[in-house]
Amino acid sequence: MELNNLKYNKGARHHKKKTYGRGFSSGLGKTSSRGQKGQHSRKSGNVRIGFEGGQTPIYRKIPKVGFNSFNFKTNKYLISMDMIVKAKLDKITHDSLLAKKLIGKKKNPIKLIGPRNYDLLKDKNKYEIEVNEISKPLKSFLEKNGSTIKIVKFKK
């Protein structure tokens, strides 16, 4: 055995992790290596990543480029049969809905949906419908009553 091979037994020397901010006995002084004053010296002084002290952060200044699904979204005009009954329409097309101001001038696809109460439609006469989409329950109901339905493909 030589002096350069001497080692302590495992666990013989009890090394604790340093405790910060508990007075001078911790060995770090009064400020616990946080420095004097300022935001980072406070207990809640941590700020999120990218925060620049109230200045507009760099990630908000740089223009955003790349894919954005908003550019490809197609908005639909949802027209309920309740609206059709109120407007007293028999022929439902893009032009007739535009004339009654049920849709705007923008060219968007029209989807026809059923009413809250199908009893409103039982007494009514047959409809001539020319829309881009129609709900399945309404389509089957109108076909039973003898209405003509034509689904038109939407062109942008």
Side-chain angles (χ1 to χ4, degrees):
M1 179 168 287
E2 295 174 5
L3 288 176
N4 64 341
N5 292 335
L6 289 176
K7 290 183 181 176
Y8 288 101
N9 293 333
K10 192 170 183 170
R13 287 172 54 104
H14 189 62
H15 283 106
K16 281 198 259 178
K17 204 173 179 184
K18 272 199 175 174
T19 307
Y20 296 109
R22 296 294 178 272
F24 288 104
S25 61
S26 66
L28 293 168
K30 68 181 181 72
T31 55
S32 306
S33 0
R34 285 172 173 258
Q36 305 284 333
K37 299 184 186 174
Q39 186 172 23
H40 296 284
S41 70
R42 315 291 185 210
K43 67 176 181 178
S44 304
N46 299 331
V47 291
R48 69 176 184 275
I49 294 169
F51 184 72
E52 295 183 28
Q55 173 179 300
T56 306
I58 192 87
Y59 67 86
R60 287 188 62 196
K61 289 179 183 176
I62 297 170
K64 311 297 181 280
V65 291
F67 181 77
N68 187 352
S69 62
F70 180 80
N71 300 333
F72 304 100
K73 184 180 176 186
T74 55
N75 296 320
K76 297 177 189 173
Y77 287 120
L78 285 177
I79 305 295
S80 172
M81 282 305 285
D82 292 329
M83 297 162 77
I84 301 296
V85 171
K86 275 185 188 174
K88 298 176 184 171
L89 285 172
D90 292 331
K91 190 173 182 182
I92 303 164
T93 61
H94 188 275
D95 298 328
S96 65
L97 292 171
L98 193 60
K100 289 284 185 174
K101 296 185 179 177
L102 292 175
I103 60 173
K105 288 183 179 179
K106 222 173 193 182
K107 263 287 202 195
N108 287 338
I110 299 166
K111 182 172 183 175
L112 200 61
I113 56 175
R116 292 182 186 153
N117 188 3
Y118 278 92
D119 295 335
L120 293 171
L121 299 177
K122 287 186 179 174
D123 314 341
K124 303 295 173 191
N125 41 349
K126 299 170 187 173
Y127 293 98
E128 287 180 49
I129 299 168
E130 195 175 302
V131 290
N132 304 111
E133 296 175 43
I134 189 166
S135 66
K136 287 179 184 176
L138 179 65
K139 186 177 181 180
S140 62
F141 179 82
L142 290 173
E143 284 174 343
K144 285 178 190 172
N145 286 2
S147 297
T148 56
I149 299 167
K150 186 179 177 186
I151 306 293
V152 182
K153 191 171 182 179
F154 176 71
K155 297 173 200 159
K156 260 192 173 178

